[in-house]
Amino acid sequence: MADTGGRTLTGDAVERLPSGRVNGVPTERVRRAAFTGVLRRWFGRHRQLWFDVAAVGIAALDVWLRVVPEAEGYNYVLSAIAVAAVALRRRFPFLVVLITVPGFLAGWAQLAAMIALGTLARQKLLSRQVRVGAALVWLSRFFVWPVDEFLALDWKTHVHNAIYGCIVAGMPIAIGLLAHAREELSARIGELAASRERERLLHAHAVRADERARLAREMHDVVSHQVSLIAMQAGALRMAAADPDARQVAGTIRMLSTRTLDELRQLVSVLRTTNGDDPPRPGIEDLPQLVGSAGFPATLTVRGPVADVPGPVSGAVYRAVQEALTNVRKHARGAATAVLVVAEDERLVVEVRNEPPVGSVDGAALPSGGHGLVGLRERAALLDGELEACPTDDGGFAVKVTFPLVRSFGAKVPKSTVE
């Protein structure tokens, strides 16, 4: 950056030049714009207060300019009451119109009555109260107080007063209706902007759905092909192997590969779903098959009313048991494992506890990202649940997840027992 003889800052800093300019703009103009912005923000926060002060001030000035020395005391009192009532016109518009009419009729509070009538028309439109207020304001302009002065006027003056009465009563109503129409138009513009924002979000959701469908296709083409090859190779190995243990291992590999393909199809279906209707997911009723095909000694115990557990909790229990068995298979191969699911009135507890591994553990060679327990904790947190995972005293490991049934779903589980 060239050296201009002044001081130059980068980023959001202000560039000060030796010619008295800030970022190429004269310094005095920048200060004036900043001061104007401060005034505009401060005025915007107290806008209604300033309008009320201005309305009272204008009404008081109108009275003060029209005061005559020979007036009676009640003229001053009624005019002062009318001016003071203008401050309450937003909360009690019709009442304020009724209060300002005597000050207009027997005093000098014409603008006070007009301001009150305009506020009433802005809030009530052309309701009966507005029509009554307009008639009273017109009468106050047409009638001349005291009565003897009114009777002494000729018919031309009466016609003139009647015409101006229509103007005095009609102008505030027109202005009030115009202000109301402006507010309605502003509200419609805001609704239109919100509608366009919703349209933008819907478009983004459509784009995301297309991306999910593309991802589903790629996942199906890549992963399912590899898993299918594993299943076929395991089936061939099972048929060709002479060792019973090798055939059993090959059968386990084929079974797990087949299950992986089924779950992959479910996941692809979820990714390709765009209408919000997810396909059925495994739950507590599928735990016996999951535990029975673990590939190592494992037992399952289910207690309590689990038949009618909500679907999100049931699916979370299945995933918790599945992840815990996977960790046992990786890090404690051959260890006996016990799975316990207990449903109570207000909570459901699932616990997977394994004994110390048998022999050497070579599970370190298996791929592991270390995100299994993190994912379980996040899944439990979504359902207001808690996760506890820690080693046991005998050298094993225990995973315990608790899901509330009342706080999350607003109703207790029916008391139908399933063992």
PDB file of all heavy atoms in Angstrom, residues 116-131:
ATOM      1  N   ALA A 116     -57.723  14.136  18.109  1.00  0.00           N
ATOM      2  CA  ALA A 116     -58.373  12.995  18.754  1.00  0.00           C
ATOM      3  C   ALA A 116     -59.246  12.225  17.772  1.00  0.00           C
ATOM      4  O   ALA A 116     -59.260  10.984  17.762  1.00  0.00           O
ATOM      5  CB  ALA A 116     -59.198  13.481  19.940  1.00  0.00           C
ATOM      6  N   LEU A 117     -59.983  12.930  16.909  1.00  0.00           N
ATOM      7  CA  LEU A 117     -60.823  12.257  15.926  1.00  0.00           C
ATOM      8  C   LEU A 117     -59.987  11.490  14.908  1.00  0.00           C
ATOM      9  O   LEU A 117     -60.343  10.383  14.491  1.00  0.00           O
ATOM     10  CB  LEU A 117     -61.705  13.293  15.230  1.00  0.00           C
ATOM     11  CG  LEU A 117     -62.672  12.743  14.164  1.00  0.00           C
ATOM     12  CD1 LEU A 117     -63.635  11.745  14.787  1.00  0.00           C
ATOM     13  CD2 LEU A 117     -63.434  13.889  13.493  1.00  0.00           C
ATOM     14  N   GLY A 118     -58.853  12.043  14.492  1.00  0.00           N
ATOM     15  CA  GLY A 118     -57.978  11.323  13.568  1.00  0.00           C
ATOM     16  C   GLY A 118     -57.423  10.044  14.165  1.00  0.00           C
ATOM     17  O   GLY A 118     -57.343   9.011  13.492  1.00  0.00           O
ATOM     18  N   THR A 119     -57.038  10.099  15.454  1.00  0.00           N
ATOM     19  CA  THR A 119     -56.556   8.880  16.116  1.00  0.00           C
ATOM     20  C   THR A 119     -57.658   7.836  16.218  1.00  0.00           C
ATOM     21  O   THR A 119     -57.426   6.640  16.028  1.00  0.00           O
ATOM     22  CB  THR A 119     -56.026   9.226  17.511  1.00  0.00           C
ATOM     23  OG1 THR A 119     -55.011  10.223  17.394  1.00  0.00           O
ATOM     24  CG2 THR A 119     -55.460   8.004  18.197  1.00  0.00           C
ATOM     25  N   LEU A 120     -58.891   8.285  16.528  1.00  0.00           N
ATOM     26  CA  LEU A 120     -60.015   7.349  16.601  1.00  0.00           C
ATOM     27  C   LEU A 120     -60.280   6.697  15.250  1.00  0.00           C
ATOM     28  O   LEU A 120     -60.516   5.481  15.172  1.00  0.00           O
ATOM     29  CB  LEU A 120     -61.260   8.091  17.095  1.00  0.00           C
ATOM     30  CG  LEU A 120     -62.549   7.278  17.193  1.00  0.00           C
ATOM     31  CD1 LEU A 120     -62.391   6.163  18.211  1.00  0.00           C
ATOM     32  CD2 LEU A 120     -63.735   8.166  17.539  1.00  0.00           C
ATOM     33  N   ALA A 121     -60.238   7.464  14.174  1.00  0.00           N
ATOM     34  CA  ALA A 121     -60.450   6.893  12.842  1.00  0.00           C
ATOM     35  C   ALA A 121     -59.329   5.941  12.448  1.00  0.00           C
ATOM     36  O   ALA A 121     -59.565   4.930  11.773  1.00  0.00           O
ATOM     37  CB  ALA A 121     -60.562   8.025  11.816  1.00  0.00           C
ATOM     38  N   ARG A 122     -58.112   6.211  12.890  1.00  0.00           N
ATOM     39  CA  ARG A 122     -56.984   5.320  12.573  1.00  0.00           C
ATOM     40  C   ARG A 122     -57.146   3.963  13.243  1.00  0.00           C
ATOM     41  O   ARG A 122     -56.778   2.934  12.675  1.00  0.00           O
ATOM     42  CB  ARG A 122     -55.683   5.979  13.016  1.00  0.00           C
ATOM     43  CG  ARG A 122     -54.451   5.182  12.699  1.00  0.00           C
ATOM     44  CD  ARG A 122     -53.203   5.932  13.095  1.00  0.00           C
ATOM     45  NE  ARG A 122     -51.993   5.202  12.761  1.00  0.00           N
ATOM     46  CZ  ARG A 122     -50.770   5.661  12.965  1.00  0.00           C
ATOM     47  NH1 ARG A 122     -50.606   6.865  13.524  1.00  0.00           N
ATOM     48  NH2 ARG A 122     -49.719   4.947  12.622  1.00  0.00           N
ATOM     49  N   GLN A 123     -57.720   3.944  14.429  1.00  0.00           N
ATOM     50  CA  GLN A 123     -57.866   2.691  15.156  1.00  0.00           C
ATOM     51  C   GLN A 123     -59.174   1.976  14.857  1.00  0.00           C
ATOM     52  O   GLN A 123     -59.210   0.746  14.793  1.00  0.00           O
ATOM     53  CB  GLN A 123     -57.749   2.953  16.661  1.00  0.00           C
ATOM     54  CG  GLN A 123     -56.392   3.469  17.107  1.00  0.00           C
ATOM     55  CD  GLN A 123     -56.285   3.615  18.613  1.00  0.00           C
ATOM     56  OE1 GLN A 123     -57.169   3.191  19.352  1.00  0.00           O
ATOM     57  NE2 GLN A 123     -55.212   4.233  19.084  1.00  0.00           N
ATOM     58  N   LYS A 124     -60.255   2.739  14.689  1.00  0.00           N
ATOM     59  CA  LYS A 124     -61.580   2.130  14.545  1.00  0.00           C
ATOM     60  C   LYS A 124     -62.131   2.192  13.134  1.00  0.00           C
ATOM     61  O   LYS A 124     -63.228   1.671  12.881  1.00  0.00           O
ATOM     62  CB  LYS A 124     -62.564   2.832  15.483  1.00  0.00           C
ATOM     63  CG  LYS A 124     -62.152   2.841  16.941  1.00  0.00           C
ATOM     64  CD  LYS A 124     -62.118   1.450  17.533  1.00  0.00           C
ATOM     65  CE  LYS A 124     -61.807   1.506  19.026  1.00  0.00           C
ATOM     66  NZ  LYS A 124     -61.799   0.149  19.634  1.00  0.00           N
ATOM     67  N   LEU A 125     -61.413   2.833  12.196  1.00  0.00           N
ATOM     68  CA  LEU A 125     -61.878   3.002  10.819  1.00  0.00           C
ATOM     69  C   LEU A 125     -63.224   3.730  10.816  1.00  0.00           C
ATOM     70  O   LEU A 125     -63.397   4.712  11.527  1.00  0.00           O
ATOM     71  CB  LEU A 125     -61.941   1.647  10.124  1.00  0.00           C
ATOM     72  CG  LEU A 125     -60.591   0.902  10.015  1.00  0.00           C
ATOM     73  CD1 LEU A 125     -60.760  -0.417   9.302  1.00  0.00           C
ATOM     74  CD2 LEU A 125     -59.543   1.759   9.353  1.00  0.00           C
ATOM     75  N   LEU A 126     -64.178   3.259  10.041  1.00  0.00           N
ATOM     76  CA  LEU A 126     -65.474   3.953   9.941  1.00  0.00           C
ATOM     77  C   LEU A 126     -66.524   3.284  10.824  1.00  0.00           C
ATOM     78  O   LEU A 126     -67.641   2.988  10.390  1.00  0.00           O
ATOM     79  CB  LEU A 126     -65.941   3.990   8.487  1.00  0.00           C
ATOM     80  CG  LEU A 126     -65.072   4.827   7.538  1.00  0.00           C
ATOM     81  CD1 LEU A 126     -65.604   4.728   6.111  1.00  0.00           C
ATOM     82  CD2 LEU A 126     -65.034   6.285   7.985  1.00  0.00           C
ATOM     83  N   SER A 127     -66.184   3.053  12.065  1.00  0.00           N
ATOM     84  CA  SER A 127     -67.116   2.427  12.991  1.00  0.00           C
ATOM     85  C   SER A 127     -68.141   3.444  13.482  1.00  0.00           C
ATOM     86  O   SER A 127     -68.101   4.628  13.150  1.00  0.00           O
ATOM     87  CB  SER A 127     -66.348   1.822  14.163  1.00  0.00           C
ATOM     88  OG  SER A 127     -65.684   2.843  14.891  1.00  0.00           O
ATOM     89  N   ARG A 128     -69.070   2.964  14.300  1.00  0.00           N
ATOM     90  CA  ARG A 128     -70.096   3.853  14.844  1.00  0.00           C
ATOM     91  C   ARG A 128     -69.492   4.924  15.743  1.00  0.00           C
ATOM     92  O   ARG A 128     -69.952   6.069  15.745  1.00  0.00           O
ATOM     93  CB  ARG A 128     -71.127   3.035  15.613  1.00  0.00           C
ATOM     94  CG  ARG A 128     -72.316   3.863  16.114  1.00  0.00           C
ATOM     95  CD  ARG A 128     -73.377   2.987  16.711  1.00  0.00           C
ATOM     96  NE  ARG A 128     -72.860   2.257  17.857  1.00  0.00           N
ATOM     97  CZ  ARG A 128     -73.593   1.397  18.590  1.00  0.00           C
ATOM     98  NH1 ARG A 128     -74.848   1.166  18.248  1.00  0.00           N
ATOM     99  NH2 ARG A 128     -73.062   0.767  19.613  1.00  0.00           N
ATOM    100  N   GLN A 129     -68.466   4.569  16.503  1.00  0.00           N
ATOM    101  CA  GLN A 129     -67.813   5.562  17.344  1.00  0.00           C
ATOM    102  C   GLN A 129     -67.204   6.683  16.509  1.00  0.00           C
ATOM    103  O   GLN A 129     -67.267   7.860  16.878  1.00  0.00           O
ATOM    104  CB  GLN A 129     -66.732   4.891  18.203  1.00  0.00           C
ATOM    105  CG  GLN A 129     -67.278   3.932  19.249  1.00  0.00           C
ATOM    106  CD  GLN A 129     -66.174   3.338  20.087  1.00  0.00           C
ATOM    107  OE1 GLN A 129     -64.980   3.539  19.829  1.00  0.00           O
ATOM    108  NE2 GLN A 129     -66.552   2.582  21.108  1.00  0.00           N
ATOM    109  N   VAL A 130     -66.617   6.340  15.371  1.00  0.00           N
ATOM    110  CA  VAL A 130     -66.031   7.369  14.501  1.00  0.00           C
ATOM    111  C   VAL A 130     -67.127   8.276  13.951  1.00  0.00           C
ATOM    112  O   VAL A 130     -66.960   9.507  13.884  1.00  0.00           O
ATOM    113  CB  VAL A 130     -65.232   6.704  13.363  1.00  0.00           C
ATOM    114  CG1 VAL A 130     -64.718   7.742  12.384  1.00  0.00           C
ATOM    115  CG2 VAL A 130     -64.063   5.910  13.938  1.00  0.00           C
ATOM    116  N   ARG A 131     -68.253   7.682  13.553  1.00  0.00           N
ATOM    117  CA  ARG A 131     -69.344   8.515  13.033  1.00  0.00           C
ATOM    118  C   ARG A 131     -69.905   9.445  14.099  1.00  0.00           C
ATOM    119  O   ARG A 131     -70.203  10.625  13.825  1.00  0.00           O
ATOM    120  CB  ARG A 131     -70.438   7.608  12.462  1.00  0.00           C
ATOM    121  CG  ARG A 131     -70.014   6.819  11.236  1.00  0.00           C
ATOM    122  CD  ARG A 131     -71.209   6.212  10.532  1.00  0.00           C
ATOM    123  NE  ARG A 131     -71.877   5.209  11.362  1.00  0.00           N
ATOM    124  CZ  ARG A 131     -71.589   3.913  11.358  1.00  0.00           C
ATOM    125  NH1 ARG A 131     -70.627   3.459  10.549  1.00  0.00           N
ATOM    126  NH2 ARG A 131     -72.247   3.065  12.122  1.00  0.00           N
TER     127      ARG A 131
END
